Amino acid sequence: MGRKIMKQAASKTHATRTVIELRKKILGGELPGGTRLYEVPLAEELEISRTPLRDAMSRLAEEGLLERARSGGFVVRQFSFADVIDAIEIRGVLEGTAARLAAERGVKPEAMASIQAVVKELDGVFGANPGEVEFEAYSELNARFHAELAALSGSKIVEKEVERAARLPFASPSAFLPDKTDIAAFRRSLNIAQEQHRAIVQAIAAREGARAEALAREHARIARRNIEYVLLEDRSLIERVPGLALVVA
Amino acid sequence: MGRKIMKQAASKTHATRTVIELRKKILGGELPGGTRLYEVPLAEELEISRTPLRDAMSRLAEEGLLERARSGGFVVRQFSFADVIDAIEIRGVLEGTAARLAAERGVKPEAMASIQAVVKELDGVFGANPGEVEFEAYSELNARFHAELAALSGSKIVEKEVERAARLPFASPSAFLPDKTDIAAFRRSLNIAQEQHRAIVQAIAAREGARAEALAREHARIARRNIEYVLLEDRSLIERVPGLALVVA
DNA sequence: CTTGCGGCCCATGTATACATTTTCGTTATT
DNA sequence: AATAACGAAAATGTATACATGGGCCGCAAG
């Protein structure tokens, strides 16, 4: 197929590619929160013209990583510790709403079967001994669980808003997955999270809206605890969490 | 070529003015949901070039009134009846979160005094007889109440998300204010709403988070009922609600 | 009639020159 | 010394020409 020589294989347009590139720089800390993005030098550095750069920046503003300055131009958004906590809270509240609506309005059997299958698959990534987890598989399945949960609400709007709330990388359900980190509490948290996955699905199946909502909210607290640990107890882990570079001390 | 004749009446830049103009056309129904916005003809019609037009469209995408088409370009966003209901639900959930956090975290006395003053002022717009209301004043104070409630959360993030959820015009707290409409149920709803305003503030002052949250959610149901009435019972009122032109049958 | 290919058209993507506004240092005036 | 006013530099805003690429139509082969 692609016989055409594209120096940039990944994306089609300069703007699209620039979104990715800028996002990487922002999340990687190369462009810290509060940085003003001057169009001319930045365009030169990226070897594109100002037009696609502005397009890319406006998309990143939609994404919440940049904000428009009052006098024009864009600035890298800056988050405080409290902002991170609150962003996670909102994600939990919205996922809770998705879970509650799913319970109240009911879900199609196929959708229920599908998310139950994800939970079952998640069971499979835990080894015999506590602490044994296939992180890669867990991470992927966890993302799928959260995506399907949002969809269970049966509401495109709710689904979209949940997705949006999780777009801030440190607020995402996969913000901090222990990976190879050798901290017992982190590893244990995966077991707890999985138990909550199960309970949420169960509550939705039983049409227990309030319980489903409360469980989903509590579920988001795991992310909060992990982030709090990273930010307050062991800041050496900051670089392991995408987007935490945006958080000002 | 270089025309220096600039009729910049209202806003500073062409883009800013175009945002306002397009928003008006969208909410007014002149550009119905699903309409693709072709840059060249639209730019000609608005008598600007494509550059500020694209800027304006991207801002409207941030606002949620447009969406980017997969193949490029912008399309006027379209909402179903269910979407309207769900957007109001989300606004209620987020305002509920703001109220709960205010109660849980506590608010500064001055902020509490300020919102209590708004409630007191709102009392003043009701006349002696039921149904007597100064609509203009009510509308303005109601908007202030909701803005201050969001701020009571003490969280910039929550405040911003509440504001965002209310930006979809039909989901806003002032989406459908009876105005001169002579429907008894609508007029009564204002009294009920005001009682809820009072209760929400009271719950926050008493640090009753769950109650504050539940009340704020229920408060949003008034908007839902009113919109449902307009859409299901008396569609002649549709034109009275900004943005309802976007809602497809 | 179907199907696949080729090319044209049109819409968006991009570069760039020019216009306007903002910013900030400097100077003049009180 | 404070401040107002000015102006140069720099940054964003705008217009426009040109590039690119996807979709549609027609034609020809099967």
Side-chain angles (χ1 to χ4, degrees):
Chain A
M1 299 61 176
R3 216 186 88 77
K4 254 182 197 164
I5 296 170
M6 295 212 237
K7 38 184 176 175
Q8 312 282 357
S11 298
K12 301 187 202 189
T13 67
H14 288 168
T16 313
R17 218 170 320 123
T18 302
V19 167
I20 294 169
E21 197 156 348
L22 282 180
R23 190 192 289 125
K24 192 169 60 183
K25 282 176 195 273
I26 292 169
L27 299 185
E30 191 175 338
L31 293 171
T35 306
R36 172 125 192 205
L37 301 182
Y38 293 105
E39 296 177 3
V40 175
L42 189 53
E44 276 172 16
E45 182 190 328
L46 298 172
E47 299 184 275
I48 57 174
S49 77
R50 286 173 56 209
T51 311
L53 173 58
R54 292 181 71 151
D55 190 9
M57 292 194 300
S58 91
R59 286 167 196 254
L60 286 168
E62 287 178 45
E63 197 172 321
L65 291 183
L66 298 182
E67 55 188 5
R68 293 177 191 269
R70 40 266 141 218
S71 66
F74 293 86
V75 175
V76 179
R77 198 159 157 206
Q78 188 160 253
F79 298 91
S80 67
F81 176 75
D83 290 338
V84 173
I85 299 299
D86 293 338
I88 295 172
E89 177 79 19
I90 285 177
R91 197 253 295 170
V93 163
L94 290 175
E95 286 188 334
T97 299
R100 173 172 60 84
L101 292 181
E104 289 173 354
R105 300 177 177 178
V107 303
K108 282 198 268 190
E110 315 90 66
M112 186 54 89
S114 175
I115 199 169
Q116 282 167 337
V118 173
V119 171
K120 188 153 284 191
E121 280 193 77
L122 271 166
D123 280 335
V125 306
F126 290 93
N129 301 330
E132 269 181 33
V133 189
E134 292 176 46
F135 294 109
E136 196 110 349
Y138 181 91
S139 176
E140 191 183 332
L141 287 166
N142 181 59
R144 253 183 70 196
F145 176 87
H146 283 270
E148 293 204 16
L149 174 61
L152 279 193
S153 69
S155 160
K156 281 296 168 198
I157 295 263
V158 170
E159 193 177 345
K160 185 171 251 177
E161 289 301 310
V162 170
E163 199 234 319
R164 179 184 159 77
R167 204 171 296 164
L168 254 25
F170 48 73
S172 135
S174 10
F176 185 60
L177 290 177
D179 198 340
K180 299 182 277 301
T181 310
D182 214 15
I183 295 179
F186 283 166
R187 291 164 171 272
R188 265 200 303 280
S189 77
L190 294 186
N191 291 87
I192 298 170
Q194 169 65 351
E195 184 53 37
Q196 290 173 334
H197 291 156
R198 206 187 330 276
I200 290 169
V201 171
Q202 202 176 49
I204 292 172
R207 313 295 293 264
E208 297 167 350
R211 180 173 169 233
E213 176 167 16
L215 282 166
R217 280 194 191 184
E218 191 60 27
H219 185 56
R221 284 278 170 142
I222 293 182
R224 170 168 168 167
R225 275 200 301 277
N226 286 344
I227 297 274
E228 280 176 340
Y229 183 86
V230 170
L231 286 175
L232 300 178
E233 314 267 331
D234 185 357
R235 297 181 65 87
S236 74
L237 294 172
I238 283 187
E239 57 189 13
R240 304 277 287 280
V241 189
L244 232 43
L246 282 178
V247 180
V248 78
Chain B
M1 302 278 204
R3 273 195 194 176
K4 301 203 171 178
I5 301 169
M6 293 262 169
K7 46 171 179 180
Q8 47 176 20
S11 300
K12 304 186 193 193
T13 68
H14 288 168
T16 311
R17 216 170 322 123
T18 302
V19 166
I20 294 168
E21 197 156 345
L22 281 180
R23 189 193 289 124
K24 191 169 61 185
K25 282 176 194 276
I26 292 169
L27 299 185
E30 190 176 338
L31 292 171
T35 306
R36 171 123 190 205
L37 300 183
Y38 292 103
E39 297 177 2
V40 175
L42 188 54
E44 277 172 16
E45 184 190 327
L46 299 172
E47 299 184 274
I48 56 172
S49 77
R50 284 172 59 211
T51 310
L53 172 59
R54 291 181 73 155
D55 190 9
M57 292 194 299
S58 101
R59 286 166 196 255
L60 287 167
E62 286 179 48
E63 196 170 322
L65 291 182
L66 299 181
E67 55 189 3
R68 291 178 191 270
R70 34 269 138 216
S71 63
F74 293 86
V75 176
V76 179
R77 197 159 158 207
Q78 190 162 253
F79 298 91
S80 67
F81 176 75
D83 289 338
V84 174
I85 299 299
D86 294 339
I88 294 171
E89 176 80 18
I90 285 178
R91 197 253 296 171
V93 164
L94 290 175
E95 286 188 333
T97 299
R100 173 173 60 83
L101 291 181
E104 289 173 353
R105 301 178 177 177
V107 304
K108 283 197 267 188
E110 315 88 66
M112 185 56 86
S114 175
I115 198 167
Q116 281 168 335
V118 174
V119 172
K120 187 152 285 191
E121 280 192 77
L122 271 166
D123 280 334
V125 307
F126 290 93
N129 300 330
E132 268 181 34
V133 189
E134 292 175 46
F135 294 108
E136 197 107 350
Y138 181 90
S139 177
E140 190 183 332
L141 286 167
N142 182 58
R144 252 184 69 195
F145 176 87
H146 283 269
E148 293 204 15
L149 174 60
L152 279 193
S153 68
S155 161
K156 281 296 168 198
I157 295 262
V158 169
E159 192 177 346
K160 184 171 250 176
E161 289 302 310
V162 170
E163 200 234 318
R164 179 184 160 78
R167 203 171 296 163
L168 253 25
F170 47 74
S172 135
S174 10
F176 185 61
L177 289 178
D179 199 341
K180 300 180 278 300
T181 310
D182 214 14
I183 296 181
F186 282 164
R187 291 165 171 272
R188 264 200 305 279
S189 77
L190 293 186
N191 289 281
I192 298 171
Q194 169 64 352
E195 183 52 37
Q196 290 173 334
H197 291 156
R198 206 186 331 275
I200 289 169
V201 171
Q202 201 175 51
I204 291 172
R207 313 294 291 263
E208 298 169 349
R211 179 173 170 231
E213 176 166 16
L215 282 165
R217 280 194 191 183
E218 191 61 27
H219 185 56
R221 284 279 171 141
I222 292 181
R224 171 169 168 167
R225 275 200 300 277
N226 286 345
I227 297 275
E228 280 176 340
Y229 182 87
V230 170
L231 285 175
L232 300 177
E233 312 267 332
D234 185 356
R235 298 182 63 87
S236 74
L237 294 172
I238 283 188
E239 58 189 12
R240 303 277 286 279
V241 189
L244 233 42
L246 282 178
V247 181
V248 78

